[in-house]
Amino acid sequence: MKLAVVGGGSTYTPELIDGFARLHGTLPVEELVLIDPAADRLGLVGGLARRIFAKQGHPGRITTTSDLDAGVADADAVLLQLRVGGQAARNQDETWPLECGCVGQETTGAGGLAKALRTVPVVLDIAERVRRANPDAWIIDFTNPVGIVTRALLRAGHKAVGLCNVAIGFQRKFAKLLEVAPADVHLDHVGLNHLTWETGVRLGGPGGEDVLPKLLAEHGDAIAGDLRLPRAVLDRLGVVPSYYLRYFYAHDEVVRELGTKPSRAAEVATMEKELLALYGDPALDEKPALLARRGGAFYSEAAVDLAAALLGDGGSPVQVVNTYNNGTLPFLADDAVIEVQARVGRTGATPLAVPELDPLYAGLVASVTAYEDLALEAALHGGRERVFRALLAHPLIGQFEYAEGLTDRLIAHNREHLTWA
């Protein structure tokens, strides 16, 4: 079995490699190709990756290349974890929206739209080259904004599934609080990528006992603290929102906070320099502790599980993924991309039925889906007016004056990545 990772020079890649090494029995990879145009980073990351495999006794081989077509040739699955424009572009996404009083974040709001506009054309080009090399290969997208990128891939007819680590993070957190194995925790996880709620936490499987009320009663303070939301919010909602919901539920507070400290991109850029220096040490043969602060916790386990299920060699039969709605949420179009529990196998992902969604959440899901429709049109076809319409539709923006100012800033800061600009 051959897998390829596009964006393999990321400082996060050793976390992924560690997962492949530890879970070799779940996904027996014979060759893992790391693909990245940044040859210097790729050399450092590739060297550490080989040492991790060797230390853990993994029999597979790791190769590196800057040649995308050569790297994806004969691959059974291709994982996408790229960042167009790097941390510099992310830093812009997190700062210029603040000038208009709007949240600066790389996956939602105006910054998220900028990332989508930069990313979708690049991902579609990569996917088309993967399809030419191997039409049967699966594409697993971890590249943000996952919902919009996955929808672009599916609309273009690619064999694609989107993946996020929010659900597996909650699963592991709740399992620890409940003192049970993670595999025993099943989440009633529903919404869109980075706009989800845990409406139930079941023990033993989809039909198991719902222990969410117990979790909130006994551990509500800890959960609320992790989300940086008041405990009273969780008590009133009776569900656990994704930490991305704080951008909606406490928007103005977040904007004030972001204006008083360096961007997350600046923090990560500093961290990446330290990580790359560590990766260059030939004695290092495991992921360093510093990597835990990089983000993306448990992505490696989720990626291995998903790839194993899609390739038919193992993996959990039910996983949280991003895929077509197909009637799961009846108030959305069938070709909307949602993030829910799905049955996963060689033929792809089929969402499980979910209970009727409370209007408090359904309204926001419908609103953000409408924004994503417009965002994808802007990413595919360009044009200032399409950018403006997407920004105006976003519930974190929604005012004409804000949308006008943000449109000008988005184009100015991303001109080198927008062929139409």
Side-chain angles (χ1 to χ4, degrees):
M1 180 187 299
K2 175 181 176 180
L3 269 65
V5 180
V6 179
S10 167
T11 55
Y12 185 73
T13 297
E15 174 70 34
L16 184 63
I17 298 299
D18 178 73
F20 281 119
R22 288 185 291 102
L23 302 172
H24 175 61
T26 302
L27 187 66
V29 177
E30 297 167 296
E31 181 181 3
L32 182 61
V33 186
L34 305 181
I35 307 168
D36 203 292
D40 51 346
R41 294 168 62 107
L42 190 59
L44 295 172
V45 172
L48 175 57
R50 294 185 188 96
R51 296 193 296 273
I52 291 174
F53 262 33
K55 180 179 182 180
Q56 299 198 30
H58 195 296
R61 66 190 181 101
I62 292 177
T63 59
T64 61
T65 181
S66 296
D67 186 332
L68 176 69
D69 296 312
V72 302
D74 301 319
D76 297 288
V78 178
L79 283 71
L80 305 181
Q81 57 171 38
L82 58 147
R83 183 184 296 280
V84 179
Q87 293 298 333
R90 176 182 181 176
N91 184 66
Q92 293 179 353
D93 294 342
E94 294 176 340
T95 52
W96 55 261
L98 298 174
E99 298 170 6
C100 295
C102 295
V103 79
Q105 212 279 329
E106 67 159 342
T107 66
T108 192
L113 177 60
K115 194 170 197 298
L117 296 182
R118 294 193 305 268
T119 304
V120 166
V122 174
V123 166
L124 289 178
D125 176 67
I126 292 169
E128 190 56 42
R129 292 160 73 175
V130 170
R131 178 156 54 188
R132 289 199 300 265
N134 181 8
D136 293 326
W138 278 102
I139 294 176
I140 297 173
D141 178 61
F142 193 64
T143 296
N144 282 317
V146 168
I148 295 172
V149 173
T150 302
R151 190 171 185 187
L153 288 165
L154 291 173
R155 275 183 52 172
H158 297 290
K159 294 177 61 176
V161 179
L163 180 64
C164 180
N165 69 316
V166 167
I168 193 172
F170 274 130
Q171 181 200 42
R172 300 305 171 88
K173 185 184 301 293
F174 295 159
K176 185 175 182 180
L177 293 173
L178 294 166
E179 299 182 335
V180 299
D184 292 333
V185 176
H186 175 92
L187 302 177
D188 291 344
H189 179 101
V190 61
L192 310 176
N193 180 242
H194 290 185
L195 192 85
T196 51
W197 299 263
E198 311 307 327
T199 60
V201 178
R202 302 185 183 277
L203 293 181
E209 175 193 3
D210 183 10
V211 295
L212 179 57
K214 174 184 176 181
L215 269 172
L216 290 176
E218 297 180 2
H219 304 286
D221 288 341
I223 296 171
D226 286 342
L227 299 174
R228 300 184 64 202
L229 287 171
R231 164 71 184 269
V233 172
L234 300 192
D235 290 339
R236 294 179 71 175
L237 295 178
V239 303
V240 178
S242 158
Y243 45 86
Y244 287 94
L245 264 298
R246 185 169 184 260
Y247 297 118
F248 294 81
Y249 293 160
H251 176 273
D252 293 353
E253 179 183 352
V254 172
V255 169
R256 288 192 294 270
E257 287 178 4
L258 293 175
T260 63
K261 61 181 183 179
S263 69
R264 173 62 177 165
E267 295 175 357
V268 171
T270 299
M271 199 181 307
E272 286 193 328
K273 292 180 181 178
E274 297 178 47
L275 286 170
L276 289 171
L278 292 172
Y279 295 170
D281 180 357
L284 183 68
D285 57 7
E286 61 185 12
K287 61 179 183 180
L290 177 61
L291 189 55
R293 292 167 46 203
R294 174 67 175 77
F298 308 115
Y299 159 50
S300 58
E301 284 90 340
V304 169
D305 208 18
L306 179 54
L310 291 172
L311 298 175
D313 290 307
S316 305
V318 175
Q319 302 179 34
V320 173
V321 298
N322 286 260
T323 191
Y324 271 151
N325 176 47
N326 283 336
T328 307
L329 299 180
F331 56 90
L332 298 182
D334 285 349
D335 67 348
V337 166
I338 61 174
E339 186 172 292
V340 293
Q341 290 276 8
R343 196 163 298 280
V344 183
R346 285 185 178 273
T347 59
T350 302
L352 301 183
V354 300
E356 182 178 357
L357 198 58
D358 188 307
L360 181 61
Y361 316 124
L364 189 53
V365 167
S367 179
V368 174
T369 298
Y371 150 75
E372 290 189 347
D373 291 344
L374 296 169
L376 184 53
E377 288 303 302
L380 293 173
H381 306 294
R384 186 187 189 281
E385 188 62 20
R386 290 189 180 93
V387 173
F388 169 78
R389 284 166 55 82
L391 290 168
L392 187 62
H394 201 295
L396 291 180
I397 301 167
Q399 296 185 54
F400 179 86
E401 182 179 356
Y402 287 175
E404 277 287 304
L406 290 167
T407 298
D408 291 336
R409 287 169 172 79
L410 185 155
I411 294 173
H413 284 284
N414 291 275
R415 197 175 299 277
E416 65 180 295
H417 300 290
L418 306 176
T419 57
W420 52 268

